[in-house]
Amino acid sequence: MNQTLRERISRHESTATPGTALTDFFTDVVQRSLDDREQRGCLMVNSALEAAPGDLELRGAITEELTHLTEFFLRNIDAGQRSGELRPDLDARQAAHHLLAVLLGVRVIARIHPERDWLVGAVSPALTQLGLRPLSID
């Protein structure tokens, strides 16, 4: 079943601890990127890269999705810091923005060079910075 981004976020949050939700989300993103044999990429990222400066409706829709992603990251970072699962000394908002940048970078890299080492290598340092284990994708 092809779930929407919001459905995947909801599934990860409802079935895992905050740190595991973040790790599972990025595992899912990397695996989806590797499975995309036609290298079609992410509709949101593709649209963002092609959006004309004057297309305020499309830019607004993309901003809404980016905000939703940032809020997902922030909720889980905050909750993980409170539970002790994630490093408490990080600025949660900055960490959420960093994860968003990593996500967007991974999706762009996947269009050009969808290799496991490149994608895992882009995500793993961001997770370890939070106090989580690096991705392990076979």
Side-chain angles (χ1 to χ4, degrees):
M1 174 168 82
N2 189 11
Q3 295 179 315
T4 68
L5 176 63
R6 290 179 186 240
E7 289 169 338
R8 288 192 308 274
I9 285 172
S10 178
R11 177 176 46 87
H12 290 305
E13 281 188 305
S14 67
T15 61
T17 65
T20 301
L22 292 170
T23 301
D24 289 352
F25 174 80
F26 277 102
T27 299
D28 185 42
V29 166
V30 169
Q31 192 60 58
R32 287 171 154 279
S33 297
L34 294 171
D35 291 343
D36 183 6
R37 297 292 175 216
E38 295 174 17
Q39 293 174 251
R40 292 170 291 148
C42 170
L43 178 61
M44 179 187 61
V45 172
N46 294 342
S47 298
L49 294 172
E50 296 295 327
D55 190 344
L56 298 180
E57 185 176 342
L58 178 57
R59 291 168 55 107
I62 293 166
T63 299
E64 184 178 318
E65 290 305 306
L66 295 177
T67 299
H68 186 74
L69 281 162
T70 303
E71 290 170 352
F72 162 69
F73 294 143
L74 184 58
R75 277 192 310 274
N76 285 281
I77 292 167
D78 281 337
Q81 287 178 315
R82 285 192 309 274
S83 73
E85 188 178 11
L86 302 180
R87 285 181 44 195
D89 59 324
L90 295 175
D91 180 296
R93 185 161 299 283
Q94 287 180 2
H97 288 146
H98 182 238
L99 289 180
L100 179 65
V102 169
L103 170 64
L104 296 175
V106 163
R107 296 305 280 166
V108 170
I109 291 168
R111 284 284 312 269
I112 305 304
H113 193 75
E115 297 293 327
R116 181 179 325 283
D117 289 346
W118 281 43
L119 302 179
V120 170
V123 173
S124 288
L127 296 177
T128 58
Q129 181 182 17
L130 293 172
L132 299 170
R133 289 180 295 165
L135 286 187
S136 176
I137 297 178
D138 297 324

